[in-house]
Amino acid sequence: MNMKSLVSRRAAVAAGLVLALGCGVSAQAASATGPRTGNGKADVAVKHRSGGKGTVAACSQEVLGVSAVKEPADSEDARHLLLTVQNAGDKKCNLYRYPLVRLGAGRTTAPVIKESDPNPGVPVTLAPGEEAYAALLVNGPMDEYEAKSITLSLQGRKPGSNAGGPIDVPMPVDTLYANDGQRVTYWTTAPGYALDFIMSK
């Protein structure tokens, strides 16, 4: 065997060793990291959409106790109401934006007082046993109609969505005298803050 043939053979053997070692390292890396499905961004997006253990669900009628009282309690009429909800469940839940309130059957929902949002874009999170409040102005200086019922619907995480069906709120008086002047505030954990937006009206 001449010198040129010997050098070529050694080069071929060395290349084979490098290829074999490379394959071994690749196999070990694949075993350590596990199989991959898609790119990292796609995997993160799927996990985000499906939610995790830390996700807080929207409050629904199944876990809330609801009440309505006159403010002040000794007032002769019932123009100003404080709506209260309590988390009677065993997990935290979120209240989004403001309650969708209807005074009387077949009526439209009360418009919201936009400036009453205490923390725009952030839901009110209720731990078990905690309460949240919304203030309701029943009427203004216009023609009134008799309302024999109050129904309240909760909003879902996405604007325009609902979290469950309508809730019948116990009436604080036999009959409410409502009109187009009715207004409701955003949810808050401070009842005084909510009432400040309606008591002067």
Side-chain angles (χ1 to χ4, degrees), residues 25-127:
V25 171
S26 298
Q28 290 177 1
S31 175
T33 58
R36 292 182 63 83
T37 56
N39 59 47
K41 291 183 179 179
D43 292 343
V44 170
V46 169
K47 290 179 181 178
H48 179 72
R49 286 196 300 269
S50 62
K53 292 182 179 180
T55 301
V56 178
C59 297
S60 65
Q61 68 266 37
E62 284 82 7
V63 299
L64 291 184
V66 183
S67 63
V69 296
K70 295 187 300 179
E71 288 292 339
D74 59 354
S75 60
E76 294 183 2
D77 58 8
R79 292 189 65 241
H80 308 102
L81 302 182
L82 183 67
L83 305 176
T84 303
V85 295
Q86 183 183 52
N87 183 359
D90 57 4
K91 296 179 180 179
K92 291 181 180 180
C93 67
N94 282 340
L95 289 170
Y96 291 93
R97 293 172 289 281
Y98 54 92
L100 303 175
V101 180
R102 296 177 187 269
L103 299 176
R107 297 289 177 170
T108 59
T109 57
V112 68
I113 301 174
K114 294 181 179 180
E115 59 269 25
S116 67
D117 191 350
N119 200 356
V122 179
V124 173
T125 301
L126 293 183

